[in-house]
Amino acid sequence: RDTAAAAQLAAFQEQQQKLLAGLSQGRRQRYEQLAAVCTDIENASAEATAGASAALNVSSRRQKLAELSWTYLRMLSVEQTLEVYLETERREQVPAAVRTLEAETKTLTADITALKAGASTSVALAGKERLLTSRLERLAALQQRLRRIEQAQSNHDLLRSEQERLVEQVKLIRADAIASKTPTRSPP
């Protein structure tokens, strides 16, 4: 049983290191800042009053910190992925492409209407209709990409807010750990 638990812990630590290694320098620094706060908590907890209830409190605090640290690391990784995606989409200028294509499809629609009203050849009309169909399908795809960009930006904003909230939670745990220290009396 201990071997299985050790293997599971090793696999978790390896996954954690891979995520950490994949982060940008700035995100790694943010993670290390959170880790430093966690170290402060561990140190304050170690100095806390001894006893069964204190040991349980320290163990509970340690588990909560591990969960929060892991969650924060995953958030940083997802944030980085979203930012890479959003930057790629920004470079491709999807909103401008949508506007351009909307104008082009309006022009094509007007051309088709004019061809139908006039005595034009069916070959020219059929060609314009096929082109319009193609352009409308491309426009639909671009509009869908635009919705995905908006969704990704919204997710990114929420993720940043959740990261800030999580950091504050960890700092609150640090404050609790420091405040719960029992003052020692000096000898008479």
Side-chain angles (χ1 to χ4, degrees), residues 161-172:
S161 178
E162 285 297 302
Q163 288 172 11
E164 292 165 357
R165 184 183 63 81
L166 190 145
V167 167
E168 294 306 321
Q169 282 183 312
V170 171
K171 288 178 179 179
L172 178 60

Side-chain angles (χ1 to χ4, degrees), residues 66-187:
E67 290 171 5
L68 290 172
S69 294
W70 174 243
T71 299
Y72 189 67
L73 181 57
R74 287 190 340 238
M75 283 181 183
L76 289 170
S77 179
V78 171
E79 175 193 33
Q80 183 168 294
T81 301
L82 285 171
E83 283 185 8
V84 167
Y85 165 73
L86 288 168
E87 181 56 33
T88 300
E89 294 297 290
R90 270 187 216 106
R91 280 192 304 255
E92 292 187 17
Q93 301 178 358
V94 176
V98 167
R99 288 188 301 274
T100 300
L101 207 48
E102 285 173 338
E104 187 179 333
T105 56
K106 283 181 184 177
T107 301
L108 275 171
T109 302
D111 290 350
I112 290 170
T113 303
L115 285 172
K116 286 181 178 178
S120 69
T121 64
S122 61
V123 174
L125 179 60
K128 290 270 187 184
E129 287 175 331
R130 283 193 309 272
L131 180 59
L132 178 61
T133 299
S134 176
R135 292 297 191 208
L136 287 172
E137 288 174 3
R138 179 172 177 234
L139 178 60
L142 283 170
Q143 288 170 332
Q144 195 169 20
R145 281 180 66 192
L146 197 55
R147 285 189 295 276
R148 297 289 190 276
I149 292 167
E150 291 166 356
Q151 181 182 8
Q153 185 61 56
S154 177
N155 289 343
H156 178 267
D157 295 345
L158 175 62
L159 198 55
R160 285 300 298 233
S161 178
E162 285 297 302
Q163 288 172 11
E164 292 165 357
R165 184 183 63 81
L166 190 145
V167 167
E168 294 306 321
Q169 282 183 312
V170 171
K171 288 178 179 179
L172 178 60
I173 293 170
R174 177 180 60 187
D176 287 346
I178 292 170
S180 69
K181 285 185 191 179
T182 303
T184 54
R185 288 188 173 169
S186 37

Side-chain angles (χ1 to χ4, degrees), residues 49-60:
T49 306
S53 67
L56 180 60
N57 191 20
V58 168
S59 174
S60 172

